Amino acid sequence: MAAAQPEQRLPLAGIRVLDLSAYIAGPYGCTQLADMGAEVIKVEPPAGDNLRKYPSTLEAESRAFLGVNRSKRGIVIDLKQVDGLAVLQKLVDSADVLVHNFRPGVPERLGIGYEQLKQRRPQLVYCAVTGYGENGPMKDNAGYDQVLQTFTGICTLQGPAGGDPQIVYGSVVDYYAAALVASGVTAALFERSRSGQGQYVGVSLLRSALAMQSARLIKADGEPLNVGRDMRSGGITGIHPAKEGYIYLSANTAHFWTTLCERVGLPELAGDERYDTVRKRAEHADALIPKLRAALSARTAHEWETVFGSDVPCSAARQLEEMFEHPQVRAENMMATMSHPVVGSYQGFTEVVKFGNAAAPAPFAAPALGQHSDQILAANGYSAEEISRLRALGVIR
């Protein structure tokens, strides 16, 4: 008789997370924890997460808020009131993780600093997301994605050499910081499983922005500061116009370069020793790129995708909207339909990481402001009369 297989479960099943953060980095880090099986409770002030107020063609809710905060239950607590602090402290008593993005010093003034909550619950993993870190002359500065892009040189290197700096749109620093939140918290939970003790986890947008540039941020002894740090491959690898549309090509290896030349009808370039390394092709980009683009003008970007197949890394430039129904995205179950009490039914991204045979949790919509306040408080021992009293005082919504 075959041995019974152990029940498959997600890594963070049974973990409870209190998400006090706003905008993207902290909230999306908590969403990733929800994808790993954690129960996440989003705690908002009476005015709500500022991301709710961002421009959106959806009238009832911000598209950004929906995308960043799925799979959470929501409660509104006014932490500036004594009764509000008491409510949060009671939630902390049964929580494993707390995440916030207050500026340094603010949590202590509110009564929810790490040392304060550690005395109450030593097992708590406490994650603080800041702009510039907890120390130094800029620790009190407000940190935002594009501010940190500009501060750390991302914008300068994004633009053309000698040209104007350019923002990388899409909140890339925030989203990488979210990944650091998820990885830092899970590492701290792993250590807690051995020691029984929680700990402080610090994530900053400054660390995120610099970590994203680790391949650039190297300075050898004696080397001048002003050296080439651009990671681009001289122009062959990049986006090129086709007969219709644009196509991105990657030809950094000898095999891909040779195949590219053969498929576009320029086999003589593959055999030319002047171009047989990435560095040489970068040095001769002014001569190579016009020839390549002339050849690419014979077909559309989508036709070139078919010609190159899987033999040359490439992609036609697509619109984001195409991802809703793209067969590869669908095959990987990356989109799901969710129902929101105000917005109604909508599709959104889900399941950031896959874990063996464990079934992914069914995603659900980001909460409306205070949607689950009563449910969460009742589950934590509050009576209907106490909940009504707190609501009348404006402590909850």
Side-chain angles (χ1 to χ4, degrees):
M1 182 176 180
Q5 294 298 313
E7 181 182 355
Q8 295 290 331
R9 64 178 182 180
L10 289 165
L12 297 186
I15 295 295
R16 178 172 292 175
V17 178
L18 299 178
D19 176 14
L20 278 66
S21 60
Y23 294 106
I24 295 176
Y28 199 63
C30 291
T31 292
Q32 293 179 50
L33 298 176
D35 286 344
M36 299 178 197
E39 173 197 357
V40 180
I41 298 173
K42 186 170 180 68
V43 180
E44 297 182 74
D49 183 335
N50 284 332
L51 198 61
R52 290 185 184 272
K53 303 176 180 66
Y54 269 46
S56 173
T57 53
L58 293 175
E59 293 184 7
E61 186 59 272
S62 160
R63 192 183 311 278
F65 183 85
L66 293 178
V68 169
N69 288 283
R70 60 179 165 73
S71 298
K72 303 175 185 178
R73 293 185 298 152
I75 183 172
V76 167
I77 306 176
D78 186 354
L79 296 178
K80 295 180 180 179
Q81 296 195 46
V82 174
D83 285 340
L85 176 59
V87 170
L88 181 67
Q89 288 174 333
K90 191 164 186 177
L91 294 180
V92 166
D93 288 342
S94 61
D96 300 285
V97 179
L98 183 146
V99 178
H100 73 72
N101 67 332
F102 297 116
R103 293 192 207 181
V106 173
E108 287 72 21
R109 292 199 297 273
L110 291 173
I112 58 171
Y114 172 59
E115 293 298 332
Q116 293 162 315
L117 295 185
K118 178 183 177 181
Q119 299 302 314
R120 187 179 186 98
R121 185 159 173 78
Q123 306 95 325
L124 185 69
V125 171
Y126 184 103
C127 180
V129 183
T130 60
Y132 295 87
E134 301 89 347
N135 305 292
M138 299 180 71
K139 67 180 178 65
D140 295 323
N141 289 19
Y144 293 94
D145 182 287
Q146 295 175 10
V147 174
L148 269 298
Q149 285 190 38
T150 309
F151 179 76
T152 61
I154 291 175
C155 297
T156 302
L157 287 167
Q158 178 70 13
D164 296 335
Q166 295 181 6
I167 290 292
V168 183
Y169 290 101
S171 301
V172 292
V173 174
D174 276 336
Y175 279 103
Y176 187 58
L180 297 179
V181 167
S183 64
V185 165
T186 52
L189 287 170
F190 177 70
E191 167 56 21
R192 191 186 73 169
S193 72
R194 299 185 293 189
S195 69
Q197 297 295 306
Q199 63 179 286
Y200 180 92
V201 176
V203 174
S204 73
L205 299 190
L206 176 58
R207 289 182 184 276
S208 174
L210 293 180
M212 292 171 63
Q213 301 182 87
S214 294
R216 297 167 171 167
L217 205 59
I218 298 294
K219 181 180 179 296
D221 289 344
E223 182 184 36
L225 278 174
N226 189 21
V227 297
R229 301 186 187 277
D230 193 335
M231 294 297 295
R232 286 172 278 197
S233 303
I236 300 300
T237 292
I239 296 179
H240 302 280
K243 181 179 180 181
E244 179 181 307
Y246 293 81
I247 186 164
Y248 181 90
L249 300 171
S250 178
N252 289 333
T253 70
H255 170 72
F256 292 146
W257 168 243
T258 299
T259 306
L260 171 64
C261 293
E262 292 172 348
R263 298 286 171 89
V264 300
L266 297 171
E268 68 279 5
L269 297 182
D272 194 320
E273 64 181 13
R274 292 176 298 174
Y275 313 135
D276 60 6
T277 69
V278 174
R279 288 190 178 185
K280 289 181 181 179
R281 292 194 287 276
E283 292 169 358
H284 293 90
D286 289 345
L288 288 172
I289 291 176
K291 295 179 181 180
L292 175 62
R293 292 188 171 181
L296 291 173
S297 67
R299 301 175 187 266
T300 69
H302 287 286
E303 288 171 341
W304 281 119
E305 276 190 333
T306 301
V307 170
F308 296 134
S310 60
D311 297 323
V312 177
C314 68
S315 176
R318 288 175 167 78
Q319 299 294 321
L320 173 65
E321 289 76 10
E322 295 181 58
M323 296 299 101
F324 284 109
E325 299 297 338
H326 195 281
Q328 182 61 35
V329 174
R330 287 292 179 182
E332 284 288 304
N333 296 315
M334 294 180 181
M335 302 298 298
T337 299
M338 291 164 267
S339 180
H340 189 274
V342 180
V343 176
S345 178
Y346 68 88
Q347 292 185 66
F349 178 76
T350 185
E351 195 178 356
V352 176
V353 180
K354 298 173 71 172
F355 292 99
N357 296 320
F364 53 93
L369 186 60
Q371 180 180 346
H372 305 102
S373 293
D374 289 25
Q375 175 187 340
I376 292 169
L377 292 180
N380 281 271
Y382 284 85
S383 67
E385 291 75 17
E386 288 176 304
I387 294 172
S388 295
R389 181 184 70 84
L390 292 171
R391 180 166 283 110
L393 292 172
V395 173
I396 64 167
R397 173 174 169 171

